Amino acid sequence: MDSISGQKITKAKIWAIANQKGGVGKTTTTVNLATALAACKKKVLIIDLDPQGNASTGLGVKVDARKQSIYQVMIEGLPIQQAIHSTDVPRMHVITSGVELSGAELELVNASEREFRLANAIGPLLDIFDYILIDCPPALGLLTLNALVASDAVLVPLQTEFYALEGLSHLLRTIDRVKRGLNRRLEIQGVVLTMYDRRNNLCEMVAADVRAFLGEKVFTTVIPRNVRVSEAPSHGKPVLLYDVACAGSQAYIKLAGEILKKERAAEAAVA
């Protein structure tokens, strides 16, 4: 871990990027939203909690450099500070996922405080970062449960497709159960519509249904289908570094701006 210097942070906001359905843009949203927030002078940490390790790969962290990963933190008790890697993005760091994480679900089944492993480990980072984004696996198992217990809020990437609302309802019920039983502070940060194609009538219909269902919890910004977004991970870069001018990059910059504006408004209302 390189030195993380600068003004002291009051308390990191911890968000789980979650959806039990695969292929909806969780990792893409995690990596590129984090990059956009870092570009807005925020100190950001990504925790790659998906055994596939796509966020780690998409940030250019080689497999042989992942010996101290989130697995060692949650299963072996490694101090979480020792698992942090720097990235090519200023002010952005990552805790990687290793191949061992694929067996963590089974190892956690009979472990003590199995739902709280990540929450218990993450404490020392709260005064270092502004945002901690947790890239969850595409399943509502013990890894995702750990993320939900550790988080303040959930950001849901939602692909604009026919079964979107059905899957969203299932996730919302899970979040409600976690809030009632394990983490009372857990909220829905928002839903971001991904892989959006304005030429497709189904996308428009799904977007309208989701907005009718969740209202202001759905971000105004939508993430379009964009070839440059798909290409960027193969180069080990967020799309904002790969092609900042493309439609996908501009959408994630706009999403970060929308999030920060909402947070400033909420803080002003409390004050």
Side-chain angles (χ1 to χ4, degrees), residues 190-191 207-220 262:
V191 173
D209 286 346
V210 174
R211 293 188 191 283
F213 183 50
L214 284 176
E216 293 184 356
K217 286 293 185 183
V218 184
F219 291 108
T220 302
K262 282 187 174 182

Side-chain angles (χ1 to χ4, degrees), residues 70 73-74 77-81 116-125 150:
I70 195 62
V73 173
M74 292 178 63
L78 178 76
I80 198 165
Q81 304 95 312
F116 296 91
R117 290 298 183 95
L118 184 56
N120 291 341
I122 214 167
L125 305 182

Side-chain angles (χ1 to χ4, degrees), residues 3-270:
S3 61
I4 304 174
S5 58
Q7 184 179 357
K8 185 177 179 181
I9 308 302
T10 303
K11 183 179 181 297
K13 296 177 177 68
I14 309 171
W15 296 348
I17 316 299
N19 189 324
Q20 75 274 19
K21 191 174 185 306
V24 300
K26 284 189 301 296
T27 299
T28 299
T29 295
T30 303
V31 168
N32 292 299
L33 175 58
T35 304
L37 289 169
C40 294
K41 310 298 184 185
K42 302 298 182 182
K43 294 181 180 178
V44 187
L45 174 70
I46 292 173
I47 297 179
D48 187 352
L49 204 60
D50 187 341
Q52 296 177 82
N54 290 336
S56 306
T57 301
L59 289 169
V61 183
K62 304 297 183 185
V63 173
D64 58 7
R66 303 181 198 177
K67 292 181 174 63
Q68 293 180 316
S69 70
I70 195 62
Y71 173 87
Q72 280 72 33
V73 173
M74 292 178 63
I75 304 299
E76 298 178 0
L78 178 76
I80 198 165
Q81 304 95 312
Q82 295 180 26
I84 298 176
H85 295 254
S86 59
T87 72
D88 290 337
V89 180
R91 295 176 295 277
M92 191 170 88
H93 294 74
V94 62
I95 296 178
T96 64
S97 169
V99 65
E100 307 98 329
L101 194 61
S102 58
E105 292 273 359
L106 289 175
E107 293 181 67
L108 285 169
V109 167
N110 296 314
S112 61
E113 295 194 306
R114 62 183 186 179
E115 303 94 345
F116 296 91
R117 290 298 183 95
L118 184 56
N120 291 341
I122 214 167
L125 305 182
L126 298 183
D127 293 329
I128 298 175
F129 295 97
D130 291 295
Y131 291 92
I132 298 174
L133 305 186
I134 307 171
D135 185 27
C136 297
L140 296 177
L142 278 170
L143 290 174
T144 298
L145 184 58
N146 264 268
L148 297 178
V149 171
S151 295
D152 304 306
V154 186
L155 191 152
V156 184
L158 190 71
Q159 185 178 356
T160 45
E161 63 169 18
F162 183 71
Y163 291 112
L165 273 176
E166 182 179 328
L168 179 60
S169 297
H170 186 195
L171 178 62
L172 294 178
R173 287 194 296 271
T174 299
I175 292 169
D176 184 59
R177 286 196 295 269
V178 172
K179 182 172 182 175
R180 285 187 281 110
L182 296 167
N183 179 8
R184 291 184 179 180
R185 74 182 188 280
L186 190 65
E187 301 290 347
I188 302 291
Q189 178 64 29
V191 173
V192 57
L193 300 175
T194 61
M195 303 179 189
Y196 191 83
D197 186 348
R198 295 187 187 278
R199 300 167 299 178
N200 186 327
N201 288 336
L202 178 61
C203 286
E204 295 280 3
M205 291 169 59
V206 170
D209 286 346
V210 174
R211 293 188 191 283
F213 183 50
L214 284 176
E216 293 184 356
K217 286 293 185 183
V218 184
F219 291 108
T220 302
T221 305
V222 298
I223 310 301
R225 285 193 178 275
N226 184 249
V227 121
R228 304 298 271 174
V229 172
S230 302
E231 290 173 351
S234 66
H235 295 270
K237 294 180 179 180
V239 71
L240 277 80
L241 294 188
Y242 181 62
D243 184 354
V244 71
C246 75
S249 291
Q250 293 302 305
Y252 280 112
I253 291 168
K254 187 178 178 182
L255 177 62
E258 183 178 351
I259 286 170
L260 294 174
K261 183 178 179 181
K262 282 187 174 182
E263 295 213 319
R264 285 194 296 267
E267 289 166 4
V270 170

